[in-house]
Amino acid sequence: MKTKNFASIAALLFLIGGIVLSFQSCKPDEEVVPCDTCMVAYKPNIYLYPVQKAQVKVDLLFPEGGKIIASEPAYSLGWDVEVEPNGRIDGKYDFLFYESRQPDRWQRSSGWVVAQADVARFFDENLSSYGFSKAETADFINWWSQRLKDSPYYLVYPQTNTQIDPLIRLRIFPEPDKVLRLFYLIEGVAKRPAHLLPAPAITAFERKGFVVAEWGVLMQE
């Protein structure tokens, strides 16, 4: 009788242990927010410029919930890549690419109204003013100017490190000296709004030491 009781208790403890472990396997950066509060960050490109050739580890964390839905090279448990001072990654990439879903907690209080005909010119000037290089700016325009043709006007709300870091955190080793992050939340509209948006203040970015630059887009449906 005692043997059977001990066997039953052992089985029960094993079952409880399995349940506890299953809960412990959940990561804090897994998606835990309802889908109706999420937005996709489309095609963020991460550019890395170490001072000298280096092995660089890059992780993306989602403190408020979220997940990666696409990446190149494959993200897996993070990127561990060899990077040249000119930004060349593993001898074949110019940037790390990903797309992700995370809560819609982006600012819409300041920005610009851009006519469709002025899209390329606007982003050329705006990205440069934030501190992006000519090559990084050209990558953005080549990709996005072809995808912003459905509306006569666009509302463009910039999201900088202040808005991005709490939702999508970059963890990089060795630690960079300077990190420039800029997402544009873009909404197409049929006509120019009667009142212009308050223009954001743009802080000059100094490209010095180990520099990381990242741009991306959030589309308001």
Side-chain angles (χ1 to χ4, degrees):
M1 179 66 71
K2 289 183 179 180
T3 302
K4 290 183 179 180
N5 288 341
F6 281 128
S8 299
I9 292 171
L12 179 61
L13 290 174
F14 179 80
L15 177 61
I16 293 173
I19 294 172
V20 170
L21 286 175
S22 69
F23 279 112
Q24 290 178 338
S25 68
C26 294
K27 299 178 182 178
D29 60 342
E30 287 180 346
E31 187 174 22
V32 294
V33 292
C35 289
D36 59 0
T37 66
C38 293
M39 287 189 77
V40 174
Y42 290 104
K43 205 184 184 305
N45 287 358
I46 302 173
Y47 300 85
L48 307 168
Y49 305 100
V51 175
Q52 57 188 11
K53 185 176 180 179
Q55 198 71 24
V56 180
K57 182 73 167 63
V58 181
D59 293 315
L60 292 167
L61 306 175
F62 299 87
E64 300 298 325
K67 64 180 180 180
I68 295 171
I69 58 176
S71 63
E72 182 67 29
Y75 180 79
S76 186
L77 298 177
W79 289 295
D80 192 351
V81 292
E82 185 179 76
V83 190
E84 301 283 350
N86 65 2
R88 196 67 170 166
I89 299 170
D90 285 344
K92 57 181 177 179
Y93 302 104
D94 293 320
F95 49 80
L96 302 174
F97 153 80
Y98 73 97
E99 292 184 338
S100 62
R101 295 179 71 245
Q102 56 284 307
D104 179 5
R105 295 174 187 168
W106 308 101
Q107 75 84 16
R108 293 172 174 83
S109 60
S110 63
W112 303 275
V113 180
V114 182
Q116 196 281 322
D118 296 331
V119 162
R121 179 189 60 78
F122 168 81
F123 285 114
D124 184 27
E125 295 176 357
N126 196 257
L127 285 158
S128 297
S129 68
Y130 272 102
F132 288 89
S133 71
K134 290 183 178 180
E136 294 158 3
T137 299
D139 286 346
F140 184 97
I141 293 171
N142 290 340
W143 181 263
W144 285 107
S145 63
Q146 303 302 312
R147 290 163 174 79
L148 297 173
K149 292 186 173 182
D150 296 333
S151 299
Y153 293 96
Y154 291 96
L155 305 181
V156 179
Y157 305 97
Q159 319 292 323
T160 59
N161 300 51
T162 302
Q163 290 81 35
I164 301 171
D165 291 347
L167 296 173
I168 309 172
R169 184 156 66 91
L170 269 180
R171 186 169 62 189
I172 301 174
F173 182 82
E175 187 174 351
D177 297 295
K178 301 286 184 178
V179 179
L180 172 62
R181 308 185 78 187
L182 177 65
F183 289 2
Y184 293 108
L185 194 160
I186 301 176
E187 179 181 0
V189 293
K191 60 182 181 179
R192 180 182 290 275
H195 301 286
L196 296 179
L197 293 167
I202 298 177
T203 304
F205 180 76
E206 183 183 14
R207 299 181 72 109
K208 184 178 181 180
F210 178 9
V211 172
V212 173
E214 177 188 13
W215 56 249
V217 166
L218 304 136
M219 293 297 299
Q220 181 70 60
E221 301 298 337

